[in-house]
Amino acid sequence: MHDLTSLTAIELLGLYERGETIPSKVLRACLDGIESKEAVVGAFLHVDAEGAMARASKLDAEGIGGRPLFGVPVAVKDNICTSTMPTTCASRILGSYRPPYDATVVRRLEDAGAVIVGKTNLDEFAMGSSTENSAFHTTRNPWDESRAPGGSSGGSAAAVAACMVPVALGSDTGGSIRQPASFCGVTGIKGTYGRVSRYGLIAFASSLDQIGPIARDVEDCALVMGVLSGEDPLDATSIAGDTEFWKDSSGGGIDGLRVGLPLENSKWEMDLDVRELFDQAVNAIIESGCTTGGARLPEMDKSIACYYIIANAEASSNLARYDGVRYGMRSDADTLTRMYEETRGEGFGAEVKRRILLGTYVLSSGYYDLYYSRALHAREEIKRDFRKIFEQYDAIILPTTPEPAFELGERLDDPLSMYMSDIFTTPASIAGLPAISVPVGVTVDGLPVGMQVIAAEGREDMVFRVAGTLQRSFGFNKRYYSLSDESGEGDR
């Protein structure tokens, strides 16, 4: 008897092809899991049990028909538009918003046979690193309920880690897929900028935002990434190219590849367990046939500052539309000016207000050249550094985060400390490069640790090859945490 909630998407497809189960049975198991664990984890903002069951029953009758995600339950981050469910961005200002259309990624998932189960929690407008900035509730890490699941896709990562769904969509602006994937012991990838259409993703920072999958292993991420990818006439920044990534993740190996190890790692404070697992990851790829060498990223020091200037500047512009007139809720007031003030004052949370103020400041007359213009220049320097590295190496590995999941509430009053958890993820975002986080082990306290693989623009195939090798070396995808499992950890 299979525990349907602990299987990967590819394992579920195998059961369907052999006629050993049907989509409605798998969905029922997932919905039961959500019902039993959601009160503790808080991964979802909305679950469409009735709509999902109707969809699954329809698939029961139709049969698999060659669809690559047939009957796979998928959760979607609540900043991605869905016509059948609310899309709130975890913000009071969009609390009652129901989009009249589906995002391109949602349409592609459904065309591939997936079943959309619900919408997952996030930091408001995807601004945060702990999912504590949601206007509705906090999400908890399934590995340790007192700790953060990461952010801003913390709801998606927690839903996969707690075996509520095998796959979830997240969005990544400065690490919002990779950091929660690392904290929750699952795998998550952002592709090359433009690889996945952003049509229907509510904008935070348009030059950085990317949608990507979070799953239990590299193969599932590659399969879903292949479904999501491709040029979209509704998004002028989307790109074409080969999308059958799963072939690179499931075989091949990395014999003869050259992998760079950023020399700047030694400059940053890092948890001792994270550093030890990084050393073990390096040994694993060497034993698999890779050659390694030091890769110099001298402008990496600038990545955090560069990211928070550019992202906040774009956020201040994108969120200007929520004024009580064009979009979002409207507060009652005697004058137009007071209506604007009260709508935005009541509708936005503290972190969003902080970033809007910072973004407005760096774009203001007198400071534009001092901050925003210099950040754009630094961005080009970071891109130049990466181009030089990829003339010499096929990929780079480094820890996803400098530490494992931190305690809930620990950094709410120290935003700079919160921002520093993105120190290793922002460089790939700034440069628009594909990057994946794959779990490789746990700390002495039993908290997951992820390693990040970055490759050149358009080389998702290389990211999957190296990540697949790390996965096979450490076998972490065969471990999971389930709140119903009293031991807390087990082998499938």
Side-chain angles (χ1 to χ4, degrees), residues 460-477:
E460 279 85 351
D461 60 323
M462 199 61 66
V463 163
F464 285 125
R465 284 177 66 183
V466 177
T469 298
L470 288 173
Q471 178 178 281
R472 287 188 288 276
S473 298
F474 289 90
F476 195 89
N477 62 316

Side-chain angles (χ1 to χ4, degrees), residues 254 257-261 281-287 289-295 392-393 395 397:
I254 58 173
L257 295 188
R258 301 159 299 170
V259 173
L261 312 174
V282 173
N283 290 333
I285 61 168
I286 291 173
E287 290 172 0
C290 274
T291 58
T292 61
Q392 187 177 0
Y393 296 107
I397 67 166

Side-chain angles (χ1 to χ4, degrees), residues 6 161 227 245 280 329 341 349 398 402 445 462 471:
S6 68
V227 169
F245 305 118
Q280 292 178 23
M329 59 170 269
E341 291 172 350
L398 71 167
D445 295 325
M462 199 61 66
Q471 178 178 281

Side-chain angles (χ1 to χ4, degrees), residues 112-155:
V115 178
I116 308 300
V117 176
K119 307 296 288 291
T120 52
N121 199 17
L122 65 152
D123 287 299
E124 184 179 7
F125 281 99
M127 298 179 191
S129 302
S130 65
T131 316
E132 294 172 283
N133 294 308
S134 168
F136 303 115
H137 62 250
T138 295
T139 298
R140 297 178 179 276
N141 192 319
W143 288 77
D144 182 339
E145 298 154 30
S146 70
R147 294 179 183 267
S152 63
S153 305

